[in-house]
C-alpha cells in the first residue's frame, strides 16, 4: 500500500527584531541601496520594497533619488522607492538605484 506524501512542516525562522526595525537599525546614519539591505537582512528585494514603502508613508524614510548613469538625470520627483526602468531624458537603462536612510529624530 502506497501512502500519500505529506507536506513537510516548515518552522518559521526565529527573529529577534521585525524586518522594519532591522531596516531602521541598518539605515541609522547610513545611506544604502536595497540590494545591500537585501543581503544583510536575507530577504528578497521585492519583500523589502513593501517595508520601505511603509516606512516612507510613516515619514521615517529618506530617499536619495536614483540617477541616470548615462546623462545624469536625477529622479527627484519619483514617489515610489523602486528603481526606475529607464531614463525619461535619454531613454538609457543604466540607472543608479536610489539610496535609503532614516530621518534624524
Amino acid at each position: 500500500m502506497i501512502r500519500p506524501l505529506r507536506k513537510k512542516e516548515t518552522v518559521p525562522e526565529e527573529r529577534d527584531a521585525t524586518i522594519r526595525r532591522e531596516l531602521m537599525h541598518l539605515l541609522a546614519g547610513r545611506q544604502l541601496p536595497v540590494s545591500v539591505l537585501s543581503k544583510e537582512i536575507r530577504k528578497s528585494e521585492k519583500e523589502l520594497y513593501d517595508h520601505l514603502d511603509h516606512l516612507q508613508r510613516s515619514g521615517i524614510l529618506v530617499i536619495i533619488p536614483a540617477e541616470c548613469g548615462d546623462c545624469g538625470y536625477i529622479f527627484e520627483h519619483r514617489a515610489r522607492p523602486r528603481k526606475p526602468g529607464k531614463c525619461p531624458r535619454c531613454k538609457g537603462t543604466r540607472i543608479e538605484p536610489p539610496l535609503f536612510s532614516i530621518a534624524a529624530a
Side-chain angles (χ1 to χ4, degrees):
M1 178 177 191
I2 299 175
R3 293 184 190 182
L5 295 174
R6 289 186 181 170
K7 277 190 173 178
K8 191 175 189 178
E9 288 186 33
T10 58
V11 179
E13 67 181 74
E14 295 207 19
R15 299 188 75 84
D16 293 335
T18 64
I19 293 174
R20 290 184 189 145
R21 287 191 193 268
E22 285 186 56
L23 284 171
M24 290 171 58
H25 176 72
L26 284 172
L27 293 172
R30 297 194 284 179
Q31 299 174 349
L32 299 172
V34 75
S35 60
V36 172
L37 295 171
S38 175
K39 289 175 188 170
E40 289 289 324
I41 297 178
R42 294 189 312 265
K43 295 290 180 187
S44 70
E45 290 183 16
K46 183 177 179 181
E47 184 177 350
L48 289 183
Y49 278 124
D50 292 334
H51 294 289
L52 290 170
D53 190 40
H54 182 271
L55 291 174
Q56 180 187 19
R57 286 189 310 241
S58 63
I60 298 171
L61 188 69
V62 175
I63 301 176
I64 294 83
E67 184 176 342
C68 178
D70 293 330
C71 71
Y73 178 80
I74 297 175
F75 294 83
E76 56 193 355
H77 298 293
R78 188 170 171 86
R80 298 187 314 173
R82 297 182 196 280
K83 177 182 164 185
K86 66 179 182 178
C87 177
R89 185 188 298 162
C90 71
K91 309 300 183 209
T93 57
R94 203 179 69 161
I95 308 291
E96 296 297 322
L99 300 175
F100 302 98
S101 183
I102 295 296

